[in-house]
Structure formats: structure tokens, C-alpha cells
Amino acid sequence: MRFTLSLFLLRMFIGPILRAHCEQDWSFPKDFRIGAASAAYQVEGGWNASGKGENNWDWFTHNKPWSIADQSNGDVACDSFHKYKEDVAILKDIGFNFYRFSISWSRIFPTGFSNKISKEGIQYYHDLIDELRSNGIEPFVTIYHWDHPQILEQMGGWVNELMVDSFTDFSRLVFQEFGPKVKYFATINEPSSFCSGGYGGTLKAPAWNLTLNAEYMCMHNVLKAHAKAYHMYDQEFRSTQNGKIGIVLPCQYYFGQDNNDTVTPDIAFQYDCGWMAHPIFSKVGDYPKIMRKRIDENSRIQGWPRSRLPTFTQKEVEYIRGTADYFGLNHYTSYIAVPVKRETGKVWENDRGYYQTVDPKWPVSASSWLKVVPEGFGNILRRITKEYGKLPIYVTENGYADHGSLNDIERIKYYYGYLKEMLVAINDGCNVKVYIAWSIIDNFEWQDGYKNRFGIVHVDFNDPGRKRTYKKSAKWYKDLLKSRKLLPVHNYTNNN
Ligand code: NOJ
């Protein structure tokens, strides 16, 4: 009995002290910014409020509801269009001083074109930005987070090169209106997600499913549009507004099937990340050589008159290269890249020559594509640094999906593991300056509707008032932001 009691006391009192001593002090660097994010279509709702025009996601969810897991849409979403003050109060209370959100294109250009501008639409973002600033929260504006006027989609969307000018018109208005108050801009969020998912596949609007064809055309236009907006900012706004502008790219980490295979992970990195990053961040610009070679070869064998991967002129290569003040990285998960042997005269598997799989031992999340692999985060930060140099990296998204539990310990574990790897990478010399958690509140998770939740704050989508409730991870973040230290998960695993 006495022995059991002393063991109990030892565990209760000595345990935490021992643990605290064994755990390193994971503090965040002084000038390091920590924020949270959302995106217009995923949170705003108010889909036809104050004259907003129809966008591609309104059309897609209304006309093809079976494309969304729970047949839902963003008509009301979190109702942030009306409840933005509450969102800002939540950000402030948790202690974030950085908020990344996006602008709804069709709320500002209801007809899709710049000849008609919605004053109310613009006012909404002024109000949001003012509310943030007066609460000491720095706004970070994503100009385009996947929603564009439906009329532009009818005209071919991102596969039509005219989108480049439409996007420039929209960006100009965003800089003119909000640039005096906003110092952080991202042009376009995760191009490969909507190019491959939407034009190449069926997961995202417009679900064209033109695999290995339209997605390359989409990316070609996206890169041109991004570069044009960057140059415009440089020439017309930078001297007076003095902000930072970049692009947000989703890059996974690829492991080899065995430790000896370093070649396939490298090829996978080029197809996954380099497709978007190489033209902008590499010294030479243009698409990665391996993509050029393999897609050109495949196109020839398949009898295409020219490569399915479009070509940039040398002038365009120069125009696109170097168009970013930071590398915006969205990172959630990792894969294993497995090479597929190419028989002589036959095509490269999937234009790539590898397929991707996962380690069954990796912990899962509610999203089938998201496995928990913290070491992959450190690896991708080091890989990007090695490949593109020391330009600041802003982690613009990172987060974990479950089904909405308030006791979201798995989310805390995820954040702890990933943030720790990031701090190690910073120690290793990676120039990471910003970290933004996805997401501040549960929201419309595209094809997964409201089934999969990424928020650190729960939203009740059955409640007309869209009640917000803190999850345990919000409490964890609150403590982290106060101490500016990574706090051990075990303090949160009990019911405290
Ligand atoms: C990346 C996208 O930018 C965001 O909109 C999405 O909700 C998260 N990934 C999670 O899937």
C-alpha cells in the first residue's frame, strides 16, 4: 500500500518535473509571426448578399450538389459576412496578431468584369480590415482563393488566357482599395489544387476531368497571371504601399520507397512543387527539366502535334522568374514516391514515371489525403531552402482534419509535432518567418463539405446563429501565443 502510494506521488510530482527538464525549450524566434487563416468561399456565406455575383463555386455546388460529400454549399457557411466582428474578437482573444483571408472576386465585380464595381462588396473588406487593425491584428490578403465569377468560368476559366487580364484587373482594384492598409498579399492560393483537381480532375470546380491536359494549360495561365500582378504591384504600388507580395504553393514531402532511392523523391518534388515553384523561384526559371523531358516524350509517343506541357518564350521565362518577395508554403502531409519502370518506346506512367503511396503506419486524419508525418514538414522546409535559396518562407497553411470534436487532442498532437519540426528546421538555417494555422474556425471544406473540420474553433452549422465554440486546440494556441513557446501535449490530454 505504502509502496503504491509513493509510486503514485512520484508519478504525480516528479514526473512533470522530469518531463519538463527533458523537454527542450521550444521557443519561437522574436520576430516570428504566428497567425490563423480562412478563405472567402469557405467562411463568408452571404452568397447573394448586397448584389454579389454568382461565382464558380456557387454554380458548382448549386448545380452539381452530388460533387460535395454532404451535398452542402457555401451559401451561408460560417456567415462570416455578417459575423466578421465575432471572428476578429476570437482571433484577438486567442492571441493571434496575423490573419490570412481572401477576397471574393464576384463580391467586388458582380458582373465578372471591372466595368461594374460593388461599393458594398468593397465596404465589407474595408470593415473587416479596419476591425482587424483596430484590434492589433495584421491583415494578410489572399487575392484569389479558388472562387471567381461564373461568367469567367463559362468562358473557359483558367484555361482561357484572357483570365490573365481579368485577374490583373481584379488585383489592381484590390491593391488600390486595400493596399494602403494591407502589407501582406498573396496572389493565388494553391494553383495545383484547382488546376489538377478542377480542370484535370473532378474534385474541385469546374470538374472538367481533362487529365494531363487542361491542368497544364491552367497552370501556364496562373503563372502568367501571378507574374503580371506582381509586376503591377512593383511598378504601380510598391513605392507608396511598401508591402510584400508572393504566391501560396502546396508542397508535400516525398520519401523514397527505401533509403537508397533518392532519385524518385527528387523527381516527385519537381512534379509536385517544382511545377509551380521552379518558374518563379529557381535561378533559371521555366518548368523543371524533368517535366519538360518526360511530358514532351509522352506527347510525342501519343501522337500529339506538340507537347501537352505548354512552352514559355524566353521573355516569359524572365518575366515570371523572381516574382515573389517570399515563398508561401501550404504543407499538410507527405507521401512515398515509387518509381514505375518505363519500357522502351512506351510512355512514362502518368507523365511522371512514379506513383505515390503512404506508409500504413502513419496516423490518419478525417481527410483521406492527410496523414500525420511531422518529419516531412522539416524535410520540405530544408528541401525548399536547398533548392531555391534563402528567400523568406511563410508557412501560409498547416492543419489537421477531424469530424469536429471539441476535445481535439489529435489536432494538438499534430500541431505540436509539426511546429517542433519547423523550429528544428529554423535551427538548421531555414529562413521561416511566418506560420499560419489552418483554420481559425471550422468551414466549408470543398468536396468534403462540412464533414471534415479543420478549425481550432468549432462552428455549429445546424444553428442559424452559427455558434462558435473553442476546441481544446484553441486553448492550446492561446497558451502558446501567450508564452511564445511550444507547450507539451500532455498538459492538455486530461480534462483540464
Ligand atoms: C488548402 C486550401 O487552401 C484550403 O482552402 C483547404 O481548406 C485546406 N487546404 C484543407 O484542405
Side-chain angles (χ1 to χ4, degrees), residues 140 143 175 182-187 226-227 229-235 237-239 241-249 280-281 320-329 388-396 431-434:
F140 181 144
I143 300 173
F175 297 142
V182 173
K183 298 298 154 229
Y184 294 87
F185 287 106
T187 52
H226 157 77
Y230 180 90
H231 286 299
M232 177 177 63
Y233 187 77
D234 238 13
Q235 284 152 18
F237 301 98
R238 193 187 289 280
S239 61
Q241 300 187 354
N242 209 15
K244 305 239 177 274
I245 176 162
I247 185 166
V248 169
L249 308 181
I280 299 173
F281 297 97
I320 294 167
R321 197 171 56 91
T323 52
D325 301 330
Y326 62 86
F327 190 114
L329 170 69
Y388 307 119
K390 283 263 182 150
L391 197 70
I393 300 176
Y394 293 1
V395 177
T396 34
N431 192 16
V432 189
K433 292 286 181 211
V434 165

Side-chain angles (χ1 to χ4, degrees), residues 38-39 42 100 145-146 189-190 193 204 248 250 330-332 367 369-370 396-401 438-439 443-448 454:
S38 73
Q42 295 180 272
R100 174 176 174 240
H145 199 124
W146 304 357
N189 178 72
E190 291 202 356
S193 301
K204 304 278 185 313
V248 169
N330 283 4
H331 178 87
Y332 289 84
S367 294
W369 55 269
L370 202 174
T396 34
E397 279 183 39
N398 175 240
Y400 176 83
W438 183 272
S439 170
N443 56 59
F444 178 77
E445 177 52 17
W446 310 111
Q447 71 273 13
D448 293 325
F454 278 87

